[in-house]
Amino acid sequence: MTKYVINGVDGHFGSAAAALALESVAPEDLILTSWDVEAIRHWEDKGVTVRQADYDDLAMTTAAFEGADVVLLISTMKVGPVRQQQHQNAIDAAVAAGASRIVYTSYLGAGDPDASWYTLTDHRYTEKAIRESGLTWNFMRDSQYQQAITQMQAAAAIQTGFWYTNSEPGKISMVHRDDCVRSAVALLLGKGEPDTAYDITGPELVSFRECYEMMVELSGAAIEFVEITDEQMYDMFHAMGVPRWATDDFSASPFPWCSEDMVTNGSGMRTGGMAVLSDAVERLTGRAPISVRDTMKADSANWPIAPAR
């Protein structure tokens, strides 16, 4: 029987992928890994194998992947050289452990030579390393998660009364995280064509202004939509203690992402680079992707109450 590895099961994506895979895969054919193995011990109650895999430790990760045929490599959080080395170690571990295929969660634009937002450096590095590894592969080039807007951005805007953006008038095909999970598991289990990349997007192109208008409609909050330049956004993040580059000190940062990553993501959207629509979610999963409005409605129940002004 085919043995499957899912990494990062201590996180939302990995945990959801593991639960979904268990609907189709016998527990004894599933290996779940995390750098914090104690956080995923409860999966052993379901009969699956649980192992520690720290991608900074090649030997440990190779041992964790032992017996695997297919690996789902969920990209790690640290943008920059650290993430590139972590991904390289995971790929090398998959090869050394005898795996034959890998599914990687990449990012929208990784296949576009003209796209230049900062995070693509890591994803292009990883895609190239996988191609050169000899493994059969699938890349999921995920669009931005809808939840980044319907949860994080919405909460910040309601609490502060402002929505700042450098992305107008660009549009993006934001995707629900669960649609990405379903697509990942479909590819893990053999759906799709070998050595093929898929753009994983939502069903429509939306601008941040349109998201803002939905949020105001659903919340009733008084929020000002403020368009700012790239340099103004850099300054704003600097004032918050966010480092400019991935190699800088993050000890006082409120975000795990550097400002270069977040600002160039917005500028890439503004210039039309993220206006990409795909039917891959429906082709891979058999169901239409969730719309931004539906996600906004679902998440609005958990929005903070707007402060009195």
Side-chain angles (χ1 to χ4, degrees):
M1 297 296 292
T2 303
K3 297 279 188 179
Y4 302 92
V5 165
I6 298 176
N7 79 285
V9 181
D10 56 301
H12 180 99
F13 194 113
S15 178
L20 184 59
L22 270 175
E23 295 179 9
S24 302
V25 175
E28 59 269 23
D29 293 327
L30 193 60
I31 301 167
L32 306 181
T33 76
S34 169
W35 68 271
D36 183 4
V37 71
E38 296 306 318
I40 65 172
R41 286 289 184 200
H42 62 281
W43 288 96
E44 292 178 327
D45 296 339
K46 300 180 183 296
V48 305
T49 299
V50 168
R51 296 175 183 164
Q52 185 175 20
D54 184 338
Y55 286 173
D56 293 319
D57 188 326
L58 176 57
M60 177 191 291
T61 303
T62 301
F65 289 179
E66 182 180 358
D69 297 299
V70 189
V71 174
L72 172 57
L73 173 54
I74 300 169
S75 59
T76 61
M77 288 288 289
K78 295 181 179 179
V79 177
V82 171
R83 178 159 66 172
Q84 292 174 27
Q85 187 59 58
Q86 288 175 333
H87 289 179
Q88 185 69 64
N89 286 346
I91 296 161
D92 291 345
V95 173
S100 60
R101 187 162 62 88
I102 192 166
V103 177
Y104 172 60
T105 60
S106 187
Y107 194 64
L108 194 69
D112 179 357
D114 296 325
S116 59
W117 36 103
Y118 185 66
T119 192
L120 295 183
T121 300
D122 295 352
H123 293 295
R124 287 173 175 152
Y125 174 94
T126 306
E127 289 190 7
K128 181 175 183 289
I130 290 173
R131 286 193 181 98
E132 294 175 351
S133 71
L135 296 167
T136 301
W137 53 267
N138 284 116
F139 303 146
M140 296 173 51
R141 292 174 178 155
D142 297 342
S143 186
Q144 183 179 43
Y145 290 160
Q146 293 170 358
Q147 284 85 348
I149 299 302
T150 64
Q151 294 176 5
M152 297 173 63
Q153 180 66 52
I158 290 170
Q159 289 173 326
T160 64
F162 296 94
W163 181 315
Y164 295 99
T165 182
N166 66 328
S167 69
E168 288 299 305
K171 295 193 175 188
I172 187 172
S173 53
M174 285 184 285
V175 64
H176 197 288
R177 184 169 49 205
D178 288 350
D179 284 329
C180 295
V181 170
R182 284 188 281 269
S183 299
V185 173
L187 290 170
L188 182 73
L189 301 184
K191 189 79 172 180
E193 297 299 318
D195 298 341
T196 301
Y198 294 91
D199 290 333
I200 306 297
T201 76
E204 75 272 287
L205 296 174
V206 295
S207 67
F208 279 2
R209 180 176 288 278
E210 289 169 323
C211 292
Y212 154 80
E213 291 169 352
M214 289 183 215
M215 191 187 66
V216 170
E217 172 192 337
L218 291 167
S219 69
I223 300 166
E224 183 179 352
F225 189 82
V226 184
E227 297 181 35
I228 60 177
T229 66
D230 293 348
E231 286 307 315
Q232 288 172 319
M233 183 158 276
Y234 281 123
D235 291 342
M236 181 181 72
F237 283 131
H238 178 74
M240 296 168 64
V242 179
R244 175 71 179 256
W245 300 103
T247 51
D248 294 337
D249 181 10
F250 277 78
S251 60
S253 177
F255 304 117
W257 310 287
C258 63
S259 62
E260 189 70 16
D261 182 12
M262 294 185 282
V263 173
T264 60
N265 201 69
S267 63
M269 180 176 167
R270 183 182 68 240
T271 55
M274 294 187 177
V276 176
L277 273 179
S278 165
D279 64 352
V281 169
E282 188 161 9
R283 284 190 287 125
L284 292 171
T285 71
R287 54 189 289 179
I290 300 166
S291 71
V292 173
R293 176 169 285 276
D294 285 347
T295 305
M296 193 85 75
K297 287 179 179 177
D299 287 342
S300 65
N302 298 313
W303 289 346
I305 296 173
R309 300 194 187 282

